[in-house]
Amino acid sequence: MNELYHLLVRTDREQQLYNQARRLAERFVQRAAHDDEQATFPFADFADLKEAGFLSLTVPTEYGGQGASLYELVLVQETIAQGSGATALSFGWHASILMRLFLLRRWPEPVLARLANEVVCRHVLINSAHSERTTGSPARGGKPETTAVFRHGRFVLRGRKTFASLAPALDYVLISATMEDGRVGEFLVPMSASGIRIEPTWNTLGMRATRSDDLVLEEVEVDQEALVETLGEANEAAPAQGWLLHVPACYLGIAIAARNEALRFAKTYQPNTLPHPIASTPEVQRKIAEMEWRLTHARHFLYAVADLWDRYPEKRMEMKEELATAKLVATNTALEVVDWAMRIVGGQSLFADNPLQRHYRDVRAGLYNPPADDLTLQWLAKRALSHNPPAP
């Protein structure tokens, strides 16, 4: 087993999931550069994920899924991200939405059961599309300008959504829209619905293969049952979103891939000024140590928080700050580790055929996935100031 995992894989089931994810990552890495360069969605990677049964990873066992814990999701995410960060992040949105739906169970049971069956039996893909250019991140509380008008017994959706990851491969998309009474509804919309189209706007620095294009909704009619949830007060009652730990796990996986590339280079590169590879020099060893302590710190923190979530469901409502801090630490650590890896490899890391330049671009996207660092810092300060410290 990879020496980075021998302490973190605790059970036979986790070992099996790790081994499966490791094999998938070995396939993904062969295609990652091409998908990134061409900004094409990794359909082949998702065919492999479907064949491995991973699309139902977070569907509960009573519905025929694997019923993965948060810890197991983090383990899988971090591992497959070493093969392709874009594939892992895309898969993570699908897996995390399913985990959220079945943990909260706010949807009508028949709808949940039908969706679970389609994921397990037909390997359908789902993601949400809440972001809009005018409102920014939904975490900031902006009200969607996408509208839902009830007409002749059906809802008619109009609007545009941004950052719709997996857009070319989705079977279902969750659309947030403002209804006529001012409430915000979440609608389960099949991508086959008339009037919904993908506008290819995703020309970005990093995470190019996620194809997080715009979705344009022009008179999209859906049945009344498509309104699966009303957002607002119910959302505020469950602020701790453990399922979002798929995000930091992905970026730590990318950082591990960069670390591994730097180690490979250091062990094999021998300039004619040295009688041995550069890995034996004190300065390169210092840089390696800078990567190692950062990864050890961030990874153990991330896995510990995921374990707390799994072990103590009654404490989840109090874990918002811990979950957000785990994301902040992991994503910023990933940036630092990739930077140290590039310092070890030097100028060769800048060439387009070197995977480090892709890792460098991809990890930067972690800063913009929710929750943003500034929100996390606000939450931490607010929590600290809301409690009176004990008297000396």
Side-chain angles (χ1 to χ4, degrees):
M1 181 191 297
N2 187 320
E3 71 278 7
L4 285 171
Y5 284 91
H6 73 285
L7 292 175
L8 295 172
V9 177
R10 310 164 301 179
T11 67
D12 290 343
R13 174 179 160 92
E14 289 170 6
Q15 182 69 66
Q16 181 183 9
L17 286 171
Y18 169 77
N19 290 342
Q20 284 183 282
R22 181 78 259 156
R23 289 191 292 270
L24 288 168
E26 289 168 358
R27 297 182 194 176
F28 297 168
V29 75
Q30 303 300 320
R31 303 183 282 244
H34 175 271
D35 290 336
D36 171 74
E37 182 179 345
Q38 300 298 318
T40 53
F41 186 79
F43 288 105
D45 290 0
F46 273 81
D48 288 340
L49 286 165
K50 291 178 182 180
E51 184 179 357
F54 268 34
L55 293 197
S56 60
L57 181 69
T58 53
V59 173
T61 54
E62 65 260 37
Y63 294 94
Q66 297 191 48
S69 66
L70 182 59
Y71 191 100
E72 290 167 343
L73 176 59
V74 165
L75 176 66
V76 166
Q77 272 290 89
E78 190 186 62
T79 306
I80 64 175
Q82 294 174 52
S84 169
T87 296
L89 188 63
S90 299
F91 166 74
W93 295 123
H94 164 88
S96 65
I97 283 175
L98 292 172
M99 180 174 280
R100 171 179 71 86
L101 294 180
F102 288 100
L103 279 176
L104 300 182
R105 294 183 183 269
R106 292 177 179 156
W107 288 16
E109 173 58 27
V111 180
L112 279 176
R114 187 185 76 237
L115 178 62
N117 180 261
E118 291 194 60
V119 172
V120 172
C121 298
R122 292 182 43 226
H123 309 298
V124 302
L125 276 167
I126 185 171
N127 195 10
S128 61
H130 295 324
S131 296
E132 298 179 1
R133 293 192 188 280
T134 53
T135 61
S137 170
R140 305 284 180 178
K143 205 168 188 178
E145 293 191 353
T146 298
T147 60
V149 176
F150 194 65
R151 188 174 64 193
H152 306 306
R154 293 167 65 83
F155 283 102
V156 180
L157 306 179
R158 303 183 187 90
R160 175 189 287 263
K161 297 294 186 178
T162 58
F163 296 102
S165 298
L166 298 99
L170 287 176
D171 297 285
Y172 290 103
V173 60
L174 290 171
I175 298 290
S176 57
T178 301
M179 298 184 289
E180 293 167 283
D181 60 5
R183 295 179 302 158
V184 176
E186 187 170 62
F187 295 83
L188 179 62
V189 181
M191 285 293 291
S192 58
S194 177
I196 187 169
R197 62 181 173 85
I198 300 169
E199 187 167 310
T201 55
W202 193 244
N203 184 18
T204 53
L205 178 72
M207 286 296 178
R208 290 166 55 78
T210 64
R211 291 311 314 178
S212 303
D213 291 304
D214 286 8
L215 288 183
V216 180
L217 299 102
E218 298 174 336
E219 300 287 319
V220 177
E221 293 191 13
V222 292
D223 293 335
Q224 190 171 354
E225 292 73 23
L227 175 60
V228 287
E229 187 175 342
T230 301
L231 307 178
E233 293 181 1
N235 256 14
E236 294 165 6
Q241 304 180 68
W243 44 87
L244 286 182
L245 286 192
H246 82 91
V247 172
C250 171
Y251 291 104
L252 281 181
I254 297 170
I256 291 170
R259 170 257 195 194
N260 292 343
E261 177 62 23
L263 289 179
R264 184 201 62 77
F265 181 86
K267 290 178 179 179
T268 57
Y269 178 61
Q270 180 178 334
N272 62 12
T273 55
L274 291 175
H276 42 64
I278 62 171
S280 60
T281 65
E283 178 56 22
V284 170
Q285 291 182 4
R286 184 187 72 82
K287 290 183 171 69
I288 291 171
E290 294 283 1
M291 293 192 298
E292 295 300 289
W293 78 255
R294 286 174 168 82
L295 279 173
T296 300
H297 168 224
R299 296 179 71 242
H300 279 275
F301 180 35
L302 176 63
Y303 279 87
V305 171
D307 185 54
L308 283 173
W309 174 274
D310 290 332
R311 284 178 181 267
Y312 305 106
E314 71 280 5
K315 296 183 179 181
R316 289 174 182 171
M317 293 288 289
E318 305 168 21
M319 288 184 63
K320 180 175 76 170
E321 291 82 6
E322 273 68 28
L323 294 163
T325 304
K327 188 266 180 177
L328 181 149
V329 170
T331 51
N332 284 279
T333 295
L335 291 169
E336 294 173 349
V337 169
V338 174
D339 184 66
W340 281 110
M342 295 181 76
R343 289 170 186 260
I344 291 169
V345 175
Q348 293 189 43
S349 66
L350 300 177
F351 282 86
D353 61 354
N354 191 299
L356 285 174
Q357 54 81 26
R358 183 176 73 255
H359 301 327
Y360 175 83
R361 291 183 286 105
D362 282 350
V363 292
R364 307 211 69 79
L367 297 175
Y368 312 110
N369 290 138
D373 288 0
D374 64 316
L375 280 178
T376 299
L377 296 174
Q378 289 176 28
W379 294 341
L380 288 170
K382 184 177 180 179
R383 184 176 69 172
L385 291 170
S386 67
H387 295 87
N388 293 322

